[in-house]
Amino acid sequence: MEYSLSEILSSYKGTQGELIPILQKVQAEFGYLPEEAMNRVAEFCRVAESKVFGIASFYAQFRFVPLGRTQVTACRGTACHVRGAPQIVDELKRQLGIEEGETTPDLEYSLETVACIGCCALAPCLVINGKVESKMTPKKVKELLTKGGQV
Amino acid sequence: MSFERMKREAKEKREALRQSKKPLILVGTATCGRSAGALDTLEVFRRELKSRNIDAEIIETGCLGLCYAEPVVGVVKPGQPNIWYRNVSAERARELIEGYLVKGDPLADYALGSTEGSVEGIPHLFDLPMLKPQVRRVLWNCGLIDPTNIDHYIASGGYEALQRAVFEMEPEEVINEVKRSGLRGLGGAGFPAGRKWEACRRAPGDEKYVICNADEGDPGAFQDRSVLEGDPHSVLEGMIIAGYAVGARKGYIYVRAEYPLAVNYLEIAISQARERGFVGENILGSDFSFDLDIFQGAGAFVCGESTALTLSIEGNRGMPKPLPRPRTTEKGLWDKPTLLNNVKTFANIRWIINKGADWFAGVGTERSKGTAIFSLTGKIANCGLIEVPLGITLREIIFDIGGGIPGGKVFKAVQTGGPSGGCLPVSLLDTPVDFDSLTTAGSIMGSGGMVVTDEDTCMVDLARYFLDFTEKESCGQCSLCRLGSSQMLEILRAITEGKGAMEDIDLLIELGEAIKIGSICGLGQTIPNPVLTTIRYFREEYEAHILKKECPARVCRALISYRILPDKCEACMICLRNCPVGAIKGGKKEVHVIDQDKCSRCGVCMSICPERFSAVECIPGQLSEEDLK
Ligand SMILES: Cc1cc2nc3c(=O)[nH]c(=O)nc-3n(C[C@H](O)[C@H](O)[C@H](O)COP(=O)(O)O)c2cc1C
Ligand code: FES
């Protein structure tokens, strides 16, 4: 981690204005914001660690736990909501046994929700490892997740 | 290279493409197309054409706005018009290659319409009911050009407005033209753009900034993203002209990190514009210099607010500045005068400069000039992205352009303005869509979200949905916004769970009015809108939840019941096996029954019951003794 972190930081000057872009880079590298990394960023930008944590916890993009190998992102946008997203999210929670924002203990799945992934015409939808699955029903969710454990 | 030469070459290239002896395939691969499988379609065209030794030009375009028909593909055979096809799956792509490219049958059944000529049996694309009433300015190029190729933009008249502004107009003249056009900000508040530009120009200081607000926080709207993915240069051109007009040397595009494709296309567009001399030092050889950068928003709705947005770029939490606060045009980013406009506001600028303020103002109403762009979604036949003249009625948008409500259902309400807006009922369908009329009706224009709902949408639940969103997004500075919104949410939850009282309705109104007054930014000031408008127009639904303990739209779980119709049940055991709480009793050849006490009302049985039986029914309220027998 030390190496890639230094590499990320090397392209910045260490001003406060760079804090958010740096955290975005760090998360892109590690999949989440490890505590040591946040401390290093604080040192680098010469701000208190609490400031870095304050920013990271304010913005929805940042997370403090690693993601699962299979990332399930359900859309909670308005179009999806009126076409039944709540049932889809419930079914996902039931199938995976985790809440939104959580990762299964075996690091296999993580479940997140977002507002509108932009395919409202095909609502309700969800994204599994970057691939959009559209016109979902609770039944389809179950099928997707039980296809031999893989999706 | 001089601009004249660039233009000539771009047009020559376009002409060469038109006259080409090769077929041309246009595949819409914006985010919406991709989610419908456009990348697979693209791959099939690439592979299949290669394996058949058909030499063709394949271009990726943005979104035409016909999202219900994605993936959309245009096919041009040499010397023939362009035929646009709908729902082109990988399968259908193969059919098109075989049927049209090889055998010459234009497969009219799959066609949406044609452009640049007519084909028998296929309508003109822009005569489609969804497209005909539209006035496309901002969307002019969207879906028709390759957004990653600056020559396509230049060939369509791109950067001519910049050239004209910089060489033929004083900054004040540019501002005057924008003022005269009557253009109002399309990010939500509708503030006159020209007046904002003028204020920023007049603000003292040499260091100024231009920011494009592409945060698009409304959950359920994608119009800004579509413009960025379909025609990014039109936004850049507007920003550069704004920089010239207000005297700024630097611009930022604040775009959501959740829009990776838009970010990518913007990066490409900026670097191409820099290469060609539209961005950077001494633009087009003039003494005007302007640079552009992208800032990726990290996911906070409140950062769409101007002071929160600038604080966020500076590396802070995005919390709106306390009142009294200076205007952003005077003290914005790094405390310097800053011009902040929405994506679509900037995309309109080139039209105003090229065609003049009078031409621009030829469309619209007395006080709302030009066009508006909406993401038309929800319970509507033709989902998509539309650009309409301001002043058009909601009815025209929903029933003419949108094609009405699918599945024989009945229209209930239309929601505009996202979490800051409101829900308007049938009786207001003839309201003209403009800034003032929508505000009077209790909603707002917003940035362009328009969600249509039908009889199956519960208005109390929808209000709760929006509040659930805004309550989480409140930055927490104002007590009324922070605590008031959670209080309202609690009350709404109670009502949807059948634990509401009639006094709650008045309490919601009272709280709502208090939050409006007691919040310092537009987020808090508009949080109550979805609740207040649904109470105003759909009070009887609240009352049904409270008095009858019923959800008329059959959405709120605590207030509905499921039952199995004995005469339809084939005792197939499917629902019984799939019920997550084991509430279904029965057996092979034994009609199934739901144990109402155990039932969690998840609806799995209804969704899983084979369609040919359709034996599960959902009813509002609890089952009566009679039903249970
Ligand atoms: C909570 C909140 C969220 C907002 N979100 C957006 C947004 O996503 N996009 C946008 O352009 N304007 C948004 N606005 C409005 C901006 O503050 C600002 O008025 C607008 O960007 C100015 O551009 P315009 O004059 O071109 O509309 C938001 C305002 C508030 C209070
Ligand atoms: S609301 Fe789900 S994709 Fe837009």
Side-chain angles (χ1 to χ4, degrees):
Chain A
M1 172 188 319
E2 190 48 38
Y3 172 72
S4 32
L5 195 56
S6 305
E7 201 171 66
I8 291 171
L9 296 180
S10 68
S11 54
Y12 293 94
K13 293 196 275 292
T15 61
Q16 189 182 332
E18 292 168 336
L19 259 177
I20 295 175
I22 293 177
L23 291 176
Q24 286 169 333
K25 272 268 168 64
V26 172
Q27 180 157 303
E29 175 69 27
F30 301 107
Y32 72 112
L33 295 179
E35 196 176 328
E36 309 91 277
M38 283 194 287
N39 294 346
R40 272 288 304 282
V41 173
E43 200 183 310
F44 178 73
C45 292
R46 288 178 299 271
V47 295
E49 286 163 13
S50 60
K51 165 117 193 164
V52 174
F53 184 76
I55 287 174
S57 57
F58 182 84
Y59 294 99
Q61 188 190 6
F62 299 116
R63 64 185 102 70
F64 305 109
V65 285
L67 276 180
R69 280 177 283 276
T70 306
Q71 292 165 34
V72 184
T73 310
C75 178
R76 268 208 189 274
T78 317
C80 285
H81 179 83
V82 303
R83 292 214 212 166
Q87 279 86 321
I88 306 301
V89 178
D90 282 348
E91 185 65 18
L92 283 168
K93 289 186 194 166
R94 195 156 45 226
Q95 292 297 332
L96 300 176
I98 48 176
E99 290 295 308
E100 293 170 51
E102 292 182 354
T103 300
T104 51
D106 59 0
L107 292 186
E108 194 48 59
Y109 290 100
S110 44
L111 176 62
E112 295 193 319
T113 57
V114 287
C116 194
I117 44 184
C119 27
C120 315
L122 303 170
C125 22
L126 49 89
V127 188
I128 297 183
N129 280 346
K131 184 163 186 298
V132 179
E133 302 288 345
S134 46
K135 297 200 175 157
M136 293 309 291
T137 59
K139 190 171 152 192
K140 273 176 141 179
V141 168
K142 193 165 174 189
E143 284 165 7
L144 265 177
L145 295 176
T146 45
K147 254 193 235 152
Q150 55 155 40
V151 272
Chain B
M1 201 194 306
S2 76
F3 183 53
E4 285 312 312
R5 201 169 131 206
M6 267 187 254
K7 266 199 303 199
R8 204 173 50 239
E9 286 184 6
K11 285 188 178 150
E12 280 165 12
K13 277 188 212 158
R14 183 173 68 180
E15 217 29 54
L17 202 59
R18 280 201 184 137
Q19 304 298 334
S20 162
K21 297 272 176 288
K22 296 191 232 170
L24 171 67
I25 317 283
L26 301 119
V27 185
T29 55
T31 302
C32 48
R34 288 181 185 206
S35 59
L39 292 182
D40 294 340
T41 305
L42 180 69
E43 188 52 32
V44 167
F45 275 111
R46 289 214 173 110
R47 248 197 348 247
E48 198 81 355
L49 290 171
K50 195 161 170 218
S51 74
R52 286 168 178 260
N53 279 323
I54 301 176
D55 188 15
E57 190 83 41
I58 301 178
I59 291 178
E60 292 182 53
T61 64
C63 169
L64 260 181
L66 308 171
C67 301
Y68 70 97
E70 295 285 1
V72 173
V73 170
V75 181
V76 194
K77 283 180 75 163
Q80 299 288 315
N82 187 348
I83 307 179
W84 298 88
Y85 293 95
R86 69 187 142 73
N87 306 109
V88 185
S89 56
E91 172 76 28
R92 196 166 277 188
R94 289 192 194 96
E95 285 182 61
L96 285 176
I97 294 173
E98 174 70 24
Y100 186 34
L101 287 182
V102 178
K103 298 200 174 135
D105 170 6
L107 299 178
D109 279 355
Y110 298 153
L112 281 162
S114 69
T115 50
E116 293 171 46
S118 340
V119 184
E120 212 191 301
I122 298 177
H124 274 267
L125 184 70
F126 288 95
D127 281 344
L128 287 183
M130 185 169 186
L131 287 167
K132 193 155 193 180
Q134 297 195 32
V135 173
R136 289 166 79 97
R137 293 177 173 179
V138 170
L139 300 184
W140 181 254
N141 280 328
C142 285
L144 302 174
I145 65 165
D146 176 356
T148 61
N149 186 335
I150 193 171
D151 279 329
H152 284 202
Y153 181 65
I154 294 176
S156 80
Y159 289 111
E160 277 175 24
L162 175 64
Q163 145 109 358
R164 174 167 309 161
V166 173
F167 290 104
E168 295 168 26
M169 296 169 86
E170 292 300 320
E172 287 78 7
E173 287 175 81
V174 174
I175 290 174
N176 252 332
E177 207 58 20
V178 176
K179 257 173 96 176
R180 278 205 322 116
S181 74
L183 171 68
R184 292 172 68 169
L186 293 166
F191 192 83
R195 267 174 50 204
K196 205 189 253 184
W197 288 31
E198 186 171 54
C200 190
R201 165 125 205 121
R202 288 201 180 142
D206 315 327
E207 201 184 326
K208 295 182 184 176
Y209 295 96
V210 170
I211 303 178
C212 173
N213 192 343
D215 195 37
E216 194 148 76
D218 175 355
F222 52 87
Q223 61 288 331
D224 293 358
R225 193 206 62 211
S226 296
V227 173
L228 293 174
E229 288 178 357
D231 195 14
H233 285 285
S234 67
V235 181
L236 303 191
E237 186 174 4
M239 290 184 72
I240 305 164
I241 294 172
Y244 174 74
V246 305
R249 291 176 52 97
K250 172 92 196 188
Y252 287 96
I253 303 166
Y254 189 98
V255 54
R256 294 168 73 100
E258 290 96 326
Y259 287 175
L261 194 65
V263 172
N264 180 236
Y265 283 5
L266 274 172
E267 280 166 352
I268 296 173
I270 293 175
S271 92
Q272 289 178 343
R274 189 173 285 127
E275 247 166 57
R276 298 293 181 93
F278 302 122
V279 166
E281 294 296 313
N282 303 101
I283 289 174
L284 293 171
S286 69
D287 53 11
F288 166 58
S289 302
F290 186 78
D291 210 349
L292 270 172
D293 253 329
I294 298 171
F295 188 93
Q296 293 190 37
F301 176 60
V302 72
C303 285
E305 194 275 338
S306 44
T307 59
L309 186 148
T310 53
L311 280 168
S312 164
I313 298 183
E314 291 166 18
N316 297 296
R317 290 170 162 229
M319 296 174 129
K321 292 182 186 166
L323 292 169
R325 56 181 166 231
R327 287 186 183 281
T328 302
T329 43
E330 281 152 28
K331 256 178 133 190
L333 185 60
W334 319 111
D335 279 341
K336 307 291 183 213
T338 301
L339 174 75
L340 176 73
N341 276 130
N342 173 264
V343 170
K344 294 158 283 159
T345 314
F346 283 122
N348 267 302
I349 299 301
R350 72 182 188 113
W351 292 100
I352 297 173
I353 301 299
N354 282 333
K355 300 243 180 184
D358 296 321
W359 176 88
F360 181 87
V363 160
T365 67
E366 181 65 31
R367 301 196 53 230
S368 301
K369 301 293 187 198
T371 60
I373 298 179
F374 289 103
S375 316
L376 187 59
T377 63
K379 307 287 185 67
I380 182 107
N382 305 336
C383 270
L385 184 73
I386 59 167
E387 182 167 3
V388 289
L390 281 160
I392 192 171
T393 64
L394 287 166
R395 189 185 299 281
E396 287 169 280
I397 293 184
I398 295 164
F399 290 94
D400 298 346
I401 297 178
I405 319 299
K409 300 276 180 176
V410 178
F411 169 87
K412 188 186 268 183
V414 54
Q415 210 280 344
T416 64
S420 310
C423 296
L424 304 180
V426 174
S427 59
L428 292 176
L429 273 177
D430 292 309
T431 307
V433 173
D434 62 59
F435 293 96
D436 311 303
S437 310
L438 287 182
T439 309
T440 312
S443 189
I444 58 165
M445 267 283 285
S447 181
M450 187 177 281
V451 186
V452 179
T453 67
D454 67 4
E455 59 197 85
D456 294 338
T457 312
C458 169
M459 290 295 129
V460 186
D461 173 70
L462 193 62
R464 185 202 51 79
Y465 162 80
F466 280 118
L467 218 69
D468 196 42
F469 175 83
T470 35
E471 189 253 357
K472 289 198 188 88
E473 295 293 339
S474 167
C475 81
Q477 281 185 107
C478 306
S479 327
L480 271 162
C481 173
R482 180 182 72 242
L483 302 172
S485 61
S486 5
Q487 200 57 48
M488 281 181 96
L489 184 58
E490 274 315 305
I491 298 173
L492 285 168
R493 274 209 191 109
I495 296 178
T496 57
E497 286 166 5
K499 298 176 195 145
M502 282 305 280
E503 305 85 80
D504 287 346
I505 300 183
D506 293 329
L507 191 56
L508 282 173
I509 297 175
E510 198 180 319
L511 260 170
E513 296 301 338
I515 297 173
K516 278 187 175 184
I517 302 167
S519 305
I520 62 165
C521 89
L523 184 119
Q525 286 154 6
T526 58
I527 276 187
N529 282 353
V531 183
L532 296 179
T533 51
T534 46
I535 293 179
R536 183 158 148 200
Y537 298 122
F538 299 94
R539 198 183 184 103
E540 70 287 354
E541 279 196 40
Y542 282 81
E543 290 174 357
H545 282 72
I546 296 169
L547 296 174
K548 294 201 225 152
K549 309 282 176 220
E550 278 183 17
C551 174
R554 293 166 300 172
V555 171
C556 300
R557 274 203 193 170
L559 306 178
I560 54 172
S561 314
Y562 287 90
R563 69 166 164 193
I564 297 171
L565 301 169
D567 48 332
K568 287 195 174 172
C569 177
E570 295 286 328
C572 70
M573 308 278 288
I574 294 185
C575 64
L576 191 148
R577 283 203 207 97
N578 281 284
C579 175
V581 291
I584 301 178
K585 290 197 278 266
K588 269 200 186 126
K589 297 198 185 139
E590 187 189 333
V591 167
H592 306 341
V593 183
I594 300 176
D595 179 343
Q596 296 296 324
D597 294 332
K598 270 195 181 169
C599 175
S600 67
R601 293 162 177 89
C602 65
V604 166
C605 51
M606 188 155 149
S607 98
I608 216 156
C609 179
E611 210 164 316
R612 58 186 191 282
F613 307 153
S614 294
V616 185
E617 183 188 47
C618 176
I619 58 159
Q622 310 303 320
L623 288 170
S624 62
E625 292 294 320
E626 194 72 11
D627 296 320
L628 286 172
K629 263 184 219 147

